[in-house]
Structure formats: structure tokens, C-alpha cells
Amino acid sequence: MAAEPWNKLEIAYPGVLSAVRFQFNASTEQCMKCLRKECEKVLKLLKSKVLQTEIRILYALLYVFHHRLRQHKPYQALKKVEQCVNRLRNMRLEAALEDLKGMCPNLPRLREGGQHEVPSQPVLEWLSLKVLGASKLMMHLMECCSEAFLLVLQHLYWKEFIILNVVLTGMLSRLWVYSRGILKTLTCLYEQMFAFLQEVSQIQQMPFVKYFALPADIKTFLGPSYSQVVEIKPPEVPVVKKLQVTARSGLLNKLFASGAGRNSEYTELSHSGMKTKWTALKGLEKNDLGNPVLGQHSEDLRNLPEFDVKALLRQPQGASKVGEIWKTK
């Protein structure tokens, strides 16, 4: 069974004119502006330094841990993520979008009015197939990132390779977020491209794609998983006002409920200890170091017999005779 035209790695470029002369009006001008704007958004995400850094980290981790963890389930899931990234690079989507951006007239030329060269119908259909394939690939990449993320969390819960799994969770999370952003911009780009394709096809009909009808709505083409992944609302961020959080999380309150009581007890004990120490230091007499201090002794020390230091300096009896004997020897 032949693969779908959008699922091919290399789609043959149409061997016809890539640009045609087109008379612009207000709606066409607005459509061309939106198409160029969405194309620039996709290129900005594909050329992002953060995305390229995460991909290099993925390659480095797979290279370092190949012999040690090649039978590890998270490692095998990361290999699937690598395959999706390599397929996206081999599709050369970035070069195709650069060509589309170059064929679209810029704003100063649009303001002049009249006829301008725009991409022809075969080129627009070829680019539409590229965008459809890239959108499906982004969906599959997000699924692979989610699968690998769950496996990494499971091994992290088992306290296996803790540092590696922490690095992988951050990397997979960022790859998922970037894939989601690229998917959203690709859907917007396809909508603008399909609308412009309808206007160009009315002027000069040169169909390129046969035995396949380009979908009018890309969201229905991607299926229900698109709405579950892309149209999900992020959690609400608590509003901080005058150092007081108005919306508090119930989970954090449960986690730190026991710690709050301990902290309060600890602060009370520390404050009470500081107060007693301060009062003790405050009650001490300020003695001048230049004056002699009269020590107060107890009654037991007063009843002790007097100790004579001179008695230690006296020589014992017979010590002089022993010294004389050693001298004679």
C-alpha cells in the first residue's frame, strides 16, 4: 500500500513555474501579510537556540549512555524521540519555508499596489503537504516525549540514576513545549496558506496533488488528540498582591501543614531563648578591669588549712649527703 503524499520524507518538487503574476486587492493583501507573518513565526521557533541546545543534549546523552543503558526502557523511548527529530531535520522544512518567505512580497511592495509575483498553485500545494507532514510529526514527537517522560519519572521514583533522570525530565519537558509551539504555528500557517491557495487557483489552475484532497480544516485532519494537547488551558498562576497570595494551592498547604507548626514552635523557642540570654547578660555587673575584683568564696573554702609555698622549696633531709656521694664517684 502506497504511503500518503504528506507522509513521504522527500516530496518531489513541482517542475513548473514557481511564481505567477497576481493582481492584489485588499483581501489578498491581508492574506499575504498573515501568511508571511506565520511563516516567520515557524522559522523563529525552528531556529531557536534553546531548541538546538536541547537537541544537542539529547544526542550527547544517547551517545554517552549507549553501551550502559541501551536495554533500558527510558533509553529506548529516547531513541524514538531522536528518530522524530532526525526525520524533521531530513524533511528540510526550514529551507522550504525560507523559499516561501522569499517568494512572498514584502510590505513596501504590497503598498505600491498592482500585480506582484506570488507562489504558484503547485508550489503552494507542495508546501501544504510539507506542513501537513510536519504537523503529524510534531504530534508523534509530543507522544514520544510524554511516553519517555513517564518512564523517566517511574525510574526516578525507584531512585535509579537520579541525576540522569532529573536532567532527562527537564530536557523532555522543554522539547514537548517547543513541539507544541511549533505545532500551533504550523496549523495557523496551513490555514493562511490554504486560504491563499484558493485565491491563486481561481486565477490559474495548475493542480499538482492528485488522488489526494488537501483538508480544509487541519484540526480535523490531526484528529481529537490535537484538541487534547494544544487547546488545553495552562493552570492559573496565583496573583501576588502586597506580599499575600490570594489564590493558594491546596496541595502545597497539605504538604507544608505539618512543617508550619514545627516552624512556629521553633521560632517561639528561639525567641524565648534569646530573651532569657539577653536578660542574663543584662543582669551581670559591669566590672572594671583596672580595679581588683574581690572574689566571694564559700564557707568550706575558708575552713581549709593554710598552704605554705616555702615548704615546696625546702630540700628534704639527706639530699645533700646523696649529692656528695655522687660527686666523689
Side-chain angles (χ1 to χ4, degrees), residues 31-55:
C31 186
M32 179 58 66
K33 288 180 182 179
C34 296
L35 178 61
R36 186 183 179 88
K37 183 179 179 181
E38 296 298 332
C39 184
E40 290 176 352
K41 287 182 181 180
V42 178
L43 287 173
K44 184 178 180 180
L45 287 176
L46 291 175
K47 294 179 180 179
S48 174
K49 292 183 179 180
V50 179
L51 178 62
Q52 301 302 324
T53 303
E54 298 301 330
I55 293 174

Side-chain angles (χ1 to χ4, degrees), residues 188-212:
C188 296
L189 175 63
Y190 180 83
E191 291 174 356
Q192 299 297 331
M193 191 182 302
F194 187 81
F196 188 69
L197 175 62
Q198 300 302 317
E199 295 188 7
V200 174
S201 61
Q202 293 176 2
I203 302 300
Q204 189 177 7
Q205 292 186 359
M206 293 185 295
F208 170 72
V209 180
K210 297 180 180 180
Y211 309 110
F212 179 76

Side-chain angles (χ1 to χ4, degrees), residues 102-143:
M103 286 187 290
C104 294
N106 52 11
L107 292 178
R109 292 176 59 189
L110 288 176
R111 289 170 183 171
E112 294 176 0
Q115 294 184 352
H116 299 285
E117 289 187 353
V118 295
S120 61
Q121 182 182 356
V123 174
L124 289 175
E125 290 182 358
W126 178 77
L127 286 170
S128 300
L129 292 177
K130 284 271 188 181
V131 173
L132 286 176
S135 302
K136 280 284 189 179
L137 184 59
M138 287 294 105
M139 291 288 296
H140 187 61
L141 177 58
M142 293 173 67
E143 293 176 0

Side-chain angles (χ1 to χ4, degrees), residues 52-320:
Q52 301 302 324
T53 303
E54 298 301 330
I55 293 174
R56 286 196 296 268
I57 292 173
L58 174 65
Y59 289 155
L61 290 175
L62 290 174
Y63 178 78
V64 171
F65 293 98
H66 173 67
H67 296 288
R68 204 186 314 177
L69 300 176
R70 57 185 175 182
Q71 300 299 330
H72 208 230
K73 286 187 178 180
Y75 183 86
Q76 296 173 1
L78 286 176
K79 291 292 290 183
K80 294 181 181 179
V81 176
E82 183 194 19
Q83 291 176 2
C84 294
V85 173
N86 291 337
R87 186 176 177 85
L88 178 65
R89 182 169 295 179
N90 294 331
M91 283 180 62
R92 290 177 287 190
L93 178 65
E94 184 177 340
L97 294 179
E98 287 284 356
D99 294 340
L100 175 62
K101 181 182 175 182
M103 286 187 290
C104 294
N106 52 11
L107 292 178
R109 292 176 59 189
L110 288 176
R111 289 170 183 171
E112 294 176 0
Q115 294 184 352
H116 299 285
E117 289 187 353
V118 295
S120 61
Q121 182 182 356
V123 174
L124 289 175
E125 290 182 358
W126 178 77
L127 286 170
S128 300
L129 292 177
K130 284 271 188 181
V131 173
L132 286 176
S135 302
K136 280 284 189 179
L137 184 59
M138 287 294 105
M139 291 288 296
H140 187 61
L141 177 58
M142 293 173 67
E143 293 176 0
C144 293
C145 287
S146 301
E147 181 182 355
F149 184 82
L150 293 176
L151 289 173
V152 168
L153 279 185
Q154 185 178 5
H155 285 268
L156 187 62
Y157 178 75
W158 292 340
K159 299 181 180 179
E160 296 179 357
F161 306 101
I162 296 177
I163 298 178
L164 173 63
N165 289 328
V166 169
V167 174
L168 289 177
T169 51
M171 182 197 67
L172 290 170
S173 301
R174 288 185 287 271
L175 279 177
W176 189 92
V177 171
Y178 263 89
S179 302
R180 180 174 178 266
I182 293 173
L183 178 61
K184 291 179 69 174
T185 53
L186 284 175
T187 53
C188 296
L189 175 63
Y190 180 83
E191 291 174 356
Q192 299 297 331
M193 191 182 302
F194 187 81
F196 188 69
L197 175 62
Q198 300 302 317
E199 295 188 7
V200 174
S201 61
Q202 293 176 2
I203 302 300
Q204 189 177 7
Q205 292 186 359
M206 293 185 295
F208 170 72
V209 180
K210 297 180 180 180
Y211 309 110
F212 179 76
L214 293 174
D217 189 6
I218 189 174
K219 296 179 181 179
T220 57
F221 173 76
L222 295 175
S225 56
Y226 175 83
S227 59
Q228 296 176 2
V229 173
V230 177
E231 296 180 359
I232 185 173
K233 293 183 179 179
E236 296 182 358
V237 180
V239 181
V240 180
K241 188 175 182 180
K242 295 183 180 181
L243 300 179
Q244 292 181 358
V245 182
T246 56
R248 297 181 179 178
S249 176
L251 180 59
L252 294 178
N253 293 335
K254 292 179 181 179
L255 288 175
F256 297 101
S258 59
R262 294 176 184 175
N263 292 335
S264 60
E265 293 177 1
Y266 177 76
T267 51
E268 290 178 1
L269 290 174
S270 60
H271 285 307
S272 61
M274 290 294 292
K275 288 181 180 179
T276 53
K277 187 182 289 187
W278 175 253
T279 53
L281 291 173
K282 194 173 182 181
L284 292 176
E285 295 180 358
K286 295 181 180 180
N287 298 324
D288 190 1
L289 296 178
N291 298 329
V293 180
L294 299 177
Q296 297 179 358
H297 304 285
S298 60
E299 296 180 356
D300 296 335
L301 294 176
R302 292 178 183 178
N303 298 329
L304 291 175
E306 296 181 359
F307 181 74
D308 191 4
V309 181
K310 294 180 179 180
L312 296 174
L313 302 177
R314 294 174 185 173
Q315 294 183 357
Q317 296 180 0
S320 59

